[in-house]
Amino acid sequence: MSDLLDILLTAGFWAATVRIVSPLIFGTLGELICERAGVLNLGIEGIMTVGAMSGWMWVYQGGDLWGGVIFAASVGALFGMLHASFTVYLGLSQHVTGIGITLFASSLSYFVYRMLLPSATTPPKIVPFQNFEIPILSDIPLFGEALFNQSPLTYLALICVPVVWYVLQKTPIGLAVRMAGENPVAVEAQGIDVLAVRTGAVMVGSALMAVGGAFITMSWFDAFYFGMVNGRGWICVALVIFASWKPGKALMGAFLFAGLEAMQVRAQQSAGAFIPYQFFLMLPYVMSILAMIVMARRAQYPQALLVPFRRGERV
Amino acid sequence: MSRLSFKQITKRFGSLIANDSISLSLGEGEIMALLGENGAGKTTLMNILFGHYEADEGSIEVEDKVLTPGSTEAAIQAGIGMVHQHFTLADNLTVIENIILGTESLWSWRHDLTAARRKLMEMAESYSLAINPDALVGSLSVGERQRVEILKALYRGARTLILDEPTAVLTPQETENLFITLRSLTAKGLSVIFISHKLHEILAISDRISVLRRGKIVDTIKTSEASRSELAEKMVGEVVTRPQLEAMQPGAPVLTLAGLSAFGDDKLPMLNNVDLTIHAHEIIGIAGVAGNGQAALADVLSGLNRDYSGTLELHDKTLTDAGPSDFVARGIGRIPEDRHVRGMIGEMEIWENLISEDLRSAEISKWKIIINRDAAIKRAEKLIERFDVRCEGPQAQTKLLSGGNIQKLILARALSPEPDFILANQPVRGLDEGAIAYVQEQLFDARKRGAAILLISEDLDELLSLCDRIAVMYQGNLSEAVPTATRTVTELGLMMAGQAIHAN
């Protein structure tokens, strides 16, 4: 028990939590936007991978860091467009298409990486985003260092939460997105193009996912490895349900998961002698399944999630 | 002066001609009724006007300007508003959110909710359509939702309002209120197109009636010069007489429900302590607005839901542990509400659907596991003949049949084993007159033979003409079943809206 307290009282634990949470926030917000518009995007795992690869590659080829983030977002948006063209315009199964996009985007990332760097044996490195210390605020003990001495991309992730909330709740375009996920016929009946709204939402959401992937290679680490997204996309899909499709709750859920993840790494070190480390690796996932069981039972699904909309079809 | 006119509109769906060269015009301040059976092409025509569909031929002029085809936005700009039969509202959003969608530029950074609320309240006031702008649509009654739909159209500046089967979901009192609203709208110069297949409503509200049959305008007449029988004949194309209920002495109790309660996923009661006894030679009708527990009752009575409390007995033997196939084996015939979803499997052949409730009988299966295809097809041939199903034969694909013929197949499967109890859930909904008369005759034949029948319907006229006794369902509670003649439509309407009326 006192071990646990020790962990909670170290600034390193909190800093790690905030680092781990950043890609999850991007991914969860991205998935949330897609699903609020009525489109499940299981391409997330692959889109995060392609974001991780393309952002890193941009910088490795001599581009600057922010250019890399924008490049990753654009590539993500392109894959979002691919997903939308199958699921929104052709009305195909969102599950099957999403899995297909994941397989395609991940494999393509590895392929392009190998094509461009055929002879690299140890993964080459870039100079990643450096932590930006916010004066005064970062001097607060414990939380100050965790929250206010982070990479600019982390700040961007945290800013995205209220922005996404505001856009969804307070603007006409957000209303159209939410309505497209609740009752697309109502959107059509008000003279708005459902297909365009859904496609736009999927593209923006996918761009955010890709930035989440780029965070891993451009801020957390400095190189691109195979399998480095490592299921984070699937966690984001679960977090969206955990959050009942609300950005604020998504932030909460992401922090919960990231905290557990940071904790398990430290717990491994202090208790690894007598409990196999695999047990700790498993913990965050077990906890998220438990949390899902509690939260998802009451979840209010967007009514038209997974339901394709076809114009002028006879009903 | 003419508000809008259809010029030679033709619309095809594959080989089906849904609208065949239709020309119509609508005057200012006029209520025009479009009368026709299901599938006559009324909704298709309106969907063309509102831009959901594009016509294959012809054009529409609104106030002497040609309307851009296939664009809902253009239709709204031209002052056309449509209240769809299935409301186009999002339940999880508020009234005001539903209404302002599409009224603001999509790229603006915020909603101007204050102005929108003021405009909406002024409108609600002037048309006496009271509404709470911040209520969630999901929490509103069906009548209130329809009000939101009308306000939504008016908010967009509609001068022509299309109402597609607006009364199908309303109680008689709500219908009366809707008519008052429509009259106040036309008094202010709005024009209304009112779609319905209910003759008495059309005669009560419209100025002019256009009758559609199989995609063609049969006739357009002034309401003041129209008679009910003449309209019925024009709509159907021939004189169809529905069968009459013969007086008959009820027999022994067949099915008894006592203290029956069932709960939904949210633990709220869908059925609350329902008591009912149905006798042989008796048809009992259940009236009520959709969604008041009828579906839950039907699920219990067809064996699909075993998670209930209270007792359910057939001939004094409990059905508590019986599943759907036991229900059928013990003499319960089931006509499900949605004939396409639960009634028949469209992808399978007719003979397969016809034996699907009877897979283990000696007649069509060997050792209860191998189907004797020849015997099954032979049985299907007999049933097709006896129930007059129009099809290519037992091996035709079921989904190719019309609604009426699919319903005949369901009747054939459910009624041919001569069940003691028949659950008929909306047995004539969406059928044309000929098929309606046929279904009703079959139910009367079963009653004569000694079956007990429970008829669930949202159509009061149907219940009043078919049932010996009638009960009303409201929020899971079932009123006492009393002889049909002792209830007036007004009383039933009030009960459907939740008011208690005591039998005297």
Side-chain angles (χ1 to χ4, degrees), chain B residues 179-368:
Chain B
F179 285 1
I180 292 168
T181 305
L182 292 185
R183 287 203 190 87
S184 79
L185 290 177
T186 50
K188 293 190 164 104
L190 269 87
S191 307
V192 174
I193 301 179
F194 187 96
I195 302 180
S196 182
H197 63 271
K198 293 185 185 166
L199 292 168
H200 63 274
E201 285 173 1
I202 277 185
L203 287 166
I205 187 69
S206 68
D207 300 312
R208 205 153 52 99
I209 304 172
S210 279
V211 187
L212 265 173
R213 190 171 75 229
R214 289 187 194 157
K216 282 184 185 157
I217 296 280
V218 185
D219 200 359
T220 300
I221 25 181
K222 277 191 177 161
T223 307
S224 52
E225 293 162 7
S227 80
R228 200 180 162 128
S229 56
E230 179 197 9
L231 285 174
E233 199 186 323
K234 286 200 162 103
M235 174 168 86
V236 181
E238 57 189 336
V239 185
V240 175
T241 45
R242 292 196 186 180
Q244 295 292 315
L245 187 71
E246 290 170 45
M248 211 175 268
Q249 205 49 247
V254 174
L255 190 84
T256 316
L257 290 65
L260 197 74
S261 297
F263 297 87
D265 294 334
D266 48 7
K267 305 286 170 221
L268 294 173
M270 295 188 299
L271 290 178
N272 189 11
N273 216 358
V274 169
D275 295 312
L276 186 66
T277 304
I278 312 169
H279 303 86
H281 300 293
E282 186 178 51
I283 301 181
I284 291 188
I286 306 276
V289 179
N292 273 293
Q294 296 96 322
L297 181 65
D299 279 354
V300 170
L301 293 185
S302 47
L304 297 176
N305 178 11
R306 279 186 251 184
D307 189 15
Y308 58 85
S309 60
T311 58
L312 174 61
E313 288 177 350
L314 184 73
H315 295 306
D316 296 330
K317 284 199 200 95
T318 179
L319 285 164
T320 310
D321 298 318
S325 58
D326 303 318
F327 270 55
V328 175
R330 287 168 63 173
I332 292 180
R334 307 163 310 163
I335 303 172
E337 176 175 12
D338 190 326
R339 62 186 74 101
H340 299 285
V341 175
R342 281 201 177 158
M344 288 277 147
I345 302 168
E347 273 67 30
M348 293 177 82
E349 294 171 10
I350 288 174
W351 69 272
E352 293 174 304
N353 272 305
L354 281 175
I355 61 164
S356 60
E357 287 190 344
D358 187 31
L359 293 172
R360 290 167 165 233
S361 73
E363 185 197 340
I364 54 166
S365 74
K366 229 180 259 176
W367 314 308
K368 297 196 175 184

Side-chain angles (χ1 to χ4, degrees), chain B residues 400-476:
Chain B
L400 300 176
L401 302 189
S402 71
N405 280 308
I406 286 185
Q407 194 69 339
K408 283 179 180 176
L409 282 183
I410 291 173
L411 290 178
R413 185 177 65 195
L415 303 187
S416 61
E418 308 212 325
D420 297 333
F421 169 69
I422 298 163
L423 169 71
N425 195 354
Q426 315 279 1
V428 302
R429 181 154 73 185
L431 300 183
D432 59 38
E433 273 297 323
I436 290 175
Y438 183 84
V439 171
Q440 295 182 345
E441 256 165 45
Q442 290 296 320
L443 290 178
F444 284 155
D445 285 352
R447 169 177 176 264
K448 199 184 258 170
R449 154 174 81 67
I453 299 172
L454 188 75
L455 176 68
I456 300 177
S457 175
E458 282 150 36
D459 185 341
L460 278 183
D461 295 335
E462 180 192 345
L463 289 170
L464 291 173
S465 64
L466 252 59
C467 298
D468 297 288
R469 288 193 290 151
I470 192 163
V472 176
M473 200 145 208
Y474 177 72
Q475 293 190 348

